[in-house]
Amino acid sequence: MLLISRKEKKAKRVIFDGRRTVILGKNNTGKSSLIKSIYWALGAEPSLHPNFKGAQVSVLLKFIVDDIKYEILREGKRISLFDGFTNEIIKTFSSITKELAPYLAEIFAFKPVFQTKDNQFVIPHQLFYFYHIMLIRMRVGKRAGTHLINYSI
């Protein structure tokens, strides 16, 4: 993952293990911001730290599903998906609910359907599930005196 702030003229590269990553750290060291930036890159809208918003961060996230490499770039509201082998653009999304979520649902083989208030059926964003697990684990971790986030996705 690459986080870039053109406003602050800074960048940070984060490399995750292919199987499992454990994120440890004291309070206010950016553990939650790191996880939320992944969710944000994939189209979710988590509550981001004001410094993250103010820095106008763009996120490039590289990931592999079934031996296929992808790169997703989020700059503000614009999200583009690239072929991780050729770096060619696959698609740019203008709607998270109507375009990005169904597209990622195909990639991740995640296809539950939720009913909206106006009785339409939509595919929820894949990160809906993982984001809520993270919040639960963080709350449990805070009670236990630690902030251990451990995922194998």
Side-chain angles (χ1 to χ4, degrees), residues 2 6 35 42 53-54 58 69 72 74 98 108 112 119 141:
L2 185 61
R6 291 190 179 131
I35 297 296
L42 291 168
K53 289 180 180 179
S58 298
K69 291 183 182 182
I72 195 161
R74 180 152 186 191
K98 293 179 181 175
F108 293 123
N119 294 323

Side-chain angles (χ1 to χ4, degrees), residues 63-78:
F63 60 98
I64 300 171
V65 178
D66 296 330
D67 296 325
I68 301 171
K69 291 183 182 182
Y70 298 94
E71 296 178 3
I72 195 161
L73 174 65
R74 180 152 186 191
E75 298 177 295
K77 297 275 183 198
R78 185 176 35 177

Side-chain angles (χ1 to χ4, degrees), residues 63-141:
F63 60 98
I64 300 171
V65 178
D66 296 330
D67 296 325
I68 301 171
K69 291 183 182 182
Y70 298 94
E71 296 178 3
I72 195 161
L73 174 65
R74 180 152 186 191
E75 298 177 295
K77 297 275 183 198
R78 185 176 35 177
I79 301 173
S80 299
L81 184 67
F82 296 85
D83 180 307
F85 292 109
T86 66
N87 294 324
E88 291 181 22
I89 193 162
I90 295 171
K91 186 169 176 64
T92 296
F93 303 92
S94 58
S95 169
I96 291 171
T97 305
K98 293 179 181 175
E99 295 177 12
L100 178 64
Y103 201 94
L104 291 179
E106 289 295 323
I107 291 172
F108 293 123
F110 179 85
K111 300 179 187 175
V113 178
F114 287 177
Q115 189 171 6
T116 65
K117 292 177 186 176
D118 56 350
N119 294 323
Q120 293 183 8
F121 291 92
V122 296
I123 297 171
H125 196 286
Q126 300 72 28
L127 297 172
F128 172 84
Y129 176 72
F130 296 115
Y131 182 64
H132 289 284
I133 287 175
M134 182 195 78
L135 290 177
I136 290 166
R137 286 189 177 195
M138 286 176 59
R139 289 183 186 122
V140 169

